[in-house]
Amino acid sequence: MREKNLYLSIGFFILCGITLTFYYVFFDRVNIDLLNTLAILAFISLTINLFYAFKNVGNNIVFFTFQITFFTFLIGEVFFDLLNSKFINLNGLPPEAYKHSLLSIIMSLWFLLIGHYFVKRKIRKTFIDNYNLISKDSINTKKIRIISGMLYLICFIAQAVILKEKSAFVSTNGYIDYYSNYSSKLPFIFSGMASIYYISLYVFFSTLPSKKTAYPVIGMSIFNAILSLGFGQRNGFVLDILIIIIYLTLRNRIVKKERSKDYWITKKQVFIILCLLPIVISILFNIGNQRLGKAGSNLSTSEKVQEFFTTQGGSIQVIAYGYEYKDKMPQKDTIYTLGPLTTYFSQNIVSRTIFGFEDLDKNLLDKATKASLYSPALSYLLFPDGYLQGKGMGSSYIAELYQDFGYFGIAIGSLFLGIILGVCDGFPVKRWWSFALLLFVTKEIIYLPRAGALEWLSQVFSLPNFLALIFIGFMAQILKSTKLTDREINYTSKLNV
């Protein structure tokens, strides 16, 4: 019965979408507020996705979180515009640009749902039912836990020092100058260790440590997330907190499989988080004002929440501006979707040393016109002087897919993304390294509404991350070959590393 109701909901939802799309294409000249209709349909589409995910949120936590970030970055501004003003703020753009944006958002939401449901339906027995395959008490897993825990301690210190340096720079020079003029004065060892901060953390998490061992490390990661607020990085803070909540939810799934009641996150804790959410959003709003040099306002908490979503929801403008400037992008024959990958392979220190590639990061103009990156190119077109001073628009996977492949690209790309989200929700915890990469992929992919379509690949499958995985595995083998007894390994792995 539940499956039948779900099919009926999806069928009705698709029928409404096809009807309104047909109306948009053929009867756009009729004098009705089509823009508002598309906005309402976009919100309804998102609500259906949230309802689908929330029905079994424990097994759909990644998809559910993605819908939250989707609302925050793509729909929040439009939603509160309609709620407060009864019309959408077009930000100086023609209505056609926002119609395109909303239609693209609706298409993406459809195909995200279809892709995720396909994965969960077709391979459920392979994934969900065989979720916990790691032996968390095996000697090899404990060795990995020891090595990754020690490595994380070093990386934690390096990351904290760099975050403090960035905060000091922003405090002295301003937030905008950070993007154009900041360069670390610390020895290379600090930036090198900080580059593997997340992978070392996720490897430690992947060994399924006990609460006694894991909670201090979780507390340390939250501490660094708070430090990142010092130089205005609200998104980094939110992503770090979200990935911790996702990890705790995944551990709950393992607890249920073991038929234990020792849950990692309880309903009471979730309720407390929801109660604290408006306060946290209000703080993030104040930080946003401070980094832009705005005077503190006397807005109420509810007004600050609305303003936060209004300012964060600017990624819909990226889609709209991308539609307007589609034929004016600096590189006509470039596939911007592949930009993060081609840039990574040509701009890393090994490629530049061996092949003599130009370092585009040193020149913002070259980065906008030669690097095949969508965000710098669009930002430079919109405000050349501001871009060269450090301002930017950000990106969105929807905008990039449309730029390169049109509406067909949005449909296929979103379908593929829905499949990836489904895999993240159901991937079996089989090997420590694959679980660590899964956590890293999850962190990056829930940010895609505000990032490039393939940017997550260059962030996750980077050379430092692979070297860190090899190092941890190699050191675990060395530990295995020493005369350290199993009893000593058991004792060491229980320490609060």
Side-chain angles (χ1 to χ4, degrees):
M1 180 63 68
R2 289 182 178 179
E3 287 189 4
K4 182 178 179 180
N5 291 336
L6 180 61
Y7 280 126
L8 289 174
S9 298
I10 293 175
F12 175 76
F13 155 52
I14 292 176
L15 179 61
C16 290
I18 292 175
T19 302
L20 281 177
T21 302
F22 179 87
Y23 187 85
Y24 167 68
V25 173
F26 291 100
F27 298 101
D28 195 20
R29 295 183 179 180
V30 177
N31 187 24
I32 69 164
D33 198 344
L34 180 61
L35 189 61
N36 284 2
T37 303
L38 288 172
I40 293 170
L41 179 59
F43 183 70
I44 291 174
S45 303
L46 178 68
T47 303
I48 291 174
N49 282 14
L50 285 169
F51 174 75
Y52 159 78
F54 193 73
K55 285 203 307 180
N56 191 2
V57 70
N59 288 335
N60 298 323
I61 184 62
V62 179
F63 187 76
F64 180 80
T65 305
F66 186 87
Q67 304 306 309
I68 299 298
T69 59
F70 197 100
F71 172 81
T72 302
F73 295 130
L74 290 173
I75 299 183
E77 179 188 26
V78 171
F79 173 76
F80 285 106
D81 280 346
L82 288 178
L83 190 66
N84 295 322
S85 307
K86 304 293 189 284
F87 66 90
I88 297 173
N89 181 8
L90 299 179
N91 297 291
L93 286 163
E96 289 72 20
Y98 265 79
K99 290 175 185 177
H100 156 77
S101 300
L102 292 168
L103 183 61
S104 300
I105 285 171
I106 293 167
M107 287 183 61
S108 183
L109 287 169
W110 290 352
F111 285 96
L112 284 169
L113 177 62
I114 294 170
H116 189 273
Y117 182 74
F118 171 79
V119 169
K120 300 300 291 290
R121 173 67 178 168
K122 294 297 182 182
I123 51 180
R124 178 180 176 85
K125 289 189 177 297
T126 303
F127 282 10
I128 297 296
D129 296 343
N130 296 309
Y131 192 76
N132 180 19
L133 301 178
I134 285 181
S135 178
K136 60 184 177 182
D137 296 322
S138 71
I139 296 301
N140 184 63
T141 301
K142 291 176 180 178
K143 291 172 183 176
I144 297 295
R145 187 179 303 144
I146 293 170
I147 300 300
S148 61
M150 295 173 63
L151 182 62
Y152 176 72
L153 278 176
I154 299 171
C155 295
F156 167 79
I157 296 171
Q159 179 82 340
V161 171
I162 286 182
L163 291 174
K164 288 297 292 181
E165 183 192 40
K166 290 180 177 179
S167 298
F169 180 90
V170 170
S171 178
T172 303
N173 300 279
Y175 176 76
I176 299 300
D177 282 351
Y178 166 76
Y179 286 99
S180 56
N181 298 320
Y182 169 77
S183 62
S184 179
K185 301 295 190 298
L186 297 168
F188 175 76
I189 185 66
F190 283 91
S191 59
M193 297 308 298
S195 69
I196 57 173
Y197 169 79
Y198 286 108
I199 192 65
S200 61
L201 173 64
Y202 299 151
V203 169
F204 178 78
F205 282 165
S206 74
T207 62
L208 307 180
S210 65
K211 288 183 179 180
K212 182 181 178 181
T213 305
Y215 280 168
V217 176
I218 291 174
M220 291 163 64
S221 66
I222 293 175
F223 176 81
N224 268 357
I226 294 173
L227 280 184
S228 69
L229 293 173
F231 67 105
Q233 287 296 307
R234 299 177 299 181
N235 293 335
F237 168 80
V238 172
L239 289 176
D240 286 348
I241 300 302
L242 286 177
I243 196 64
I244 289 173
I245 294 174
I246 289 172
Y247 176 72
L248 296 177
T249 305
L250 296 179
R251 291 302 301 265
N252 270 6
R253 189 185 302 176
I254 295 173
V255 166
K256 289 181 180 179
K257 186 173 179 62
E258 294 173 344
R259 296 184 178 180
S260 171
K261 294 184 178 180
D262 190 22
Y263 293 119
W264 282 66
I265 184 168
T266 63
K267 293 180 179 179
K268 181 179 179 180
Q269 291 168 334
V270 171
F271 177 76
I272 293 173
I273 292 172
L274 291 176
C275 291
L276 291 175
L277 197 57
I279 299 174
V280 173
I281 292 176
S282 178
I283 294 172
L284 294 178
F285 172 77
N286 289 335
I287 291 172
N289 278 346
Q290 290 174 7
R291 75 180 188 181
L292 296 176
K294 295 181 179 179
S297 62
N298 296 319
L299 297 176
S300 65
T301 299
S302 61
E303 290 172 329
K304 287 180 180 179
V305 169
Q306 291 189 33
E307 284 295 317
F308 171 81
F309 282 108
T310 300
T311 55
Q312 286 295 298
S315 291
I316 191 174
Q317 296 177 35
V318 175
I319 302 174
Y321 278 115
Y323 175 79
E324 283 293 292
Y325 287 83
K326 186 176 188 295
D327 299 325
K328 299 177 182 178
M329 298 295 281
Q331 298 189 69
K332 303 298 183 183
D333 300 326
T334 294
I335 300 178
Y336 283 98
T337 304
L338 299 177
L341 299 182
T342 58
T343 300
Y344 175 77
F345 286 118
S346 65
Q347 292 299 298
N348 67 75
I349 190 170
V350 177
S351 298
R352 293 203 311 268
T353 302
I354 296 176
F355 301 105
F357 292 129
E358 180 184 0
D359 187 358
L360 299 178
D361 283 332
K362 292 183 177 180
N363 189 314
L364 289 176
L365 179 59
D366 287 342
K367 189 173 184 179
T369 57
K370 298 179 181 179
S372 302
L373 294 174
Y374 189 80
S375 175
L378 183 61
S379 299
Y380 180 68
L381 281 176
L382 294 175
F383 34 82
D385 294 336
Y387 167 75
L388 295 176
Q389 293 173 5
K391 297 180 181 179
M393 279 288 293
S395 188
S396 174
Y397 75 95
I398 295 176
E400 290 189 359
L401 290 171
Y402 178 77
Q403 173 70 32
D404 295 329
F405 310 110
Y407 290 113
F408 178 78
I410 295 174
I412 299 302
S414 298
L415 180 67
F416 181 68
L417 178 56
I419 291 173
I420 295 175
L421 292 170
V423 171
C424 289
D425 268 325
F427 194 81
V429 182
K430 192 173 183 180
R431 297 179 179 87
W432 61 270
W433 57 268
S434 61
F435 189 25
L437 289 175
L438 170 73
L439 291 173
F440 212 139
V441 168
T442 299
K443 174 182 176 291
E444 296 298 327
I445 214 160
I446 60 177
Y447 190 59
L448 282 192
R450 199 181 182 88
L454 297 181
E455 193 170 329
W456 61 278
L457 284 173
S458 62
Q459 296 293 326
V460 176
F461 301 101
S462 65
L463 182 60
N465 287 345
F466 277 117
L467 291 178
L469 292 175
I470 293 171
F471 172 79
I472 292 171
F474 177 72
M475 292 302 295
Q477 289 301 314
I478 290 181
L479 189 62
K480 182 178 180 181
S481 64
T482 63
K483 295 182 179 181
L484 203 62
T485 65
D486 290 354
R487 182 178 179 181
E488 290 171 322
I489 291 174
N490 285 332
Y491 174 75
T492 307
S493 68
K494 291 178 182 179
L495 294 178
N496 293 340
V497 295

